[in-house]
Amino acid sequence: MAVEVTVPDPEVQARALALRFRHWDRDNSGFLELSDLKTSARRLGEAFGRPVNAPEQLALEESCRQLWEILARHADVDHNGRISQDEFIAAFTEEVLADPAEFDRVYRILLENVVKAADADGDGKLDLGEYVRLMESWYSAGESDAVAAFAKLDRDADGFLTLEELVRSAMEFYLGESPPLAAFPPSR
Ligand SMILES: [Ca+2]
Ligand SMILES: [Ca+2]
Ligand SMILES: [Ca+2]
């Protein structure tokens, strides 16, 4: 099911994307690399005690690779294996977000695998404890930020985050419609 979107304000969107870029640049190299995404995947697996060859872990790493390939195809214009912040913002603004169906397809796969990897009790959704561990490992988010974000992400206030709630919030984050704290992940 595709998410309905509205045309974003370019400046708000650029600020949202710059924030996301900093979240994803895990080694603070100033560039997004495949290794940044692999670091997030590895830390998530460690936080949930998963062996490196667990099916959930392998699926997560594969979806990170797929996301990287799409990002690189759109953004790595000089083909050096690194995406600068400017390349990242330009690619998202001009290409990925111009085709919400593509964004929805790619990001949904990643989020599906993130939810599976963080769903410790296997009920198909994330409770607060699972979400806090996810945010701490995937984005180095602080616990209080994660708790605050959970309340905003849980739109129907049933105490659980579903894939649909996360996909919708991610979409809104990238389109700059909502403040960063209300999105996946929270701001720092
Ligand atoms: Ca980096
Ligand atoms: Ca769960
Ligand atoms: Ca919910």
Side-chain angles (χ1 to χ4, degrees):
M1 182 182 75
V3 178
E4 284 182 29
V5 296
T6 54
V7 177
D9 178 312
E11 284 186 21
V12 174
Q13 187 181 70
R15 280 200 298 278
L17 287 170
L19 177 63
R20 179 54 52 94
F21 182 86
R22 290 195 293 279
H23 280 128
W24 276 10
D25 179 17
R26 290 301 297 262
D27 61 0
N28 292 317
S29 68
F31 294 92
L32 186 61
E33 294 110 345
L34 177 57
S35 58
D36 292 315
L37 295 176
K38 284 185 169 174
T39 296
S40 286
R42 194 183 68 244
R43 289 187 185 167
L44 176 56
E46 288 168 357
F48 285 85
R50 294 196 193 286
V52 290
N53 60 352
E56 297 91 342
Q57 192 63 21
L58 295 175
L60 180 61
E61 289 180 12
E62 177 57 26
S63 60
C64 284
R65 263 193 298 278
Q66 288 176 14
L67 179 65
W68 170 258
E69 279 172 20
I70 285 163
L71 283 175
R73 191 165 73 233
H74 287 296
D76 182 16
V77 290
D78 54 6
H79 303 291
N80 66 352
R82 306 190 306 178
I83 297 171
S84 71
Q85 181 171 298
D86 286 347
E87 286 177 332
F88 180 78
I89 291 174
F92 256 89
T93 307
E94 292 161 19
E95 300 189 50
V96 179
L97 292 180
D99 183 359
E102 162 93 337
F103 177 90
D104 186 71
R105 187 182 67 78
V106 174
Y107 214 78
R108 182 177 293 270
I109 292 168
L110 176 68
L111 282 176
E112 268 177 13
N113 286 308
V114 165
V115 169
K116 278 183 195 154
D119 181 17
D121 63 5
D123 66 354
K125 51 201 179 181
L126 301 183
D127 60 30
L128 178 60
E130 290 166 341
Y131 181 74
V132 169
R133 275 157 82 191
L134 163 62
M135 287 293 94
E136 287 175 342
S137 57
W138 184 262
Y139 283 114
S140 297
E143 182 176 355
S144 58
D145 279 348
V147 169
F150 185 93
K152 296 192 177 186
L153 289 164
D154 182 14
R155 287 159 186 268
D156 60 2
D158 69 347
F160 298 98
L161 300 184
T162 61
L163 178 63
E164 288 308 320
E165 285 172 327
L166 291 170
V167 168
R168 170 158 282 278
S169 293
M171 192 67 135
E172 289 179 357
F173 178 93
Y174 281 109
L175 296 177
E177 290 175 342
S178 60
L181 192 61
F184 173 94
S187 64
R188 276 183 286 177

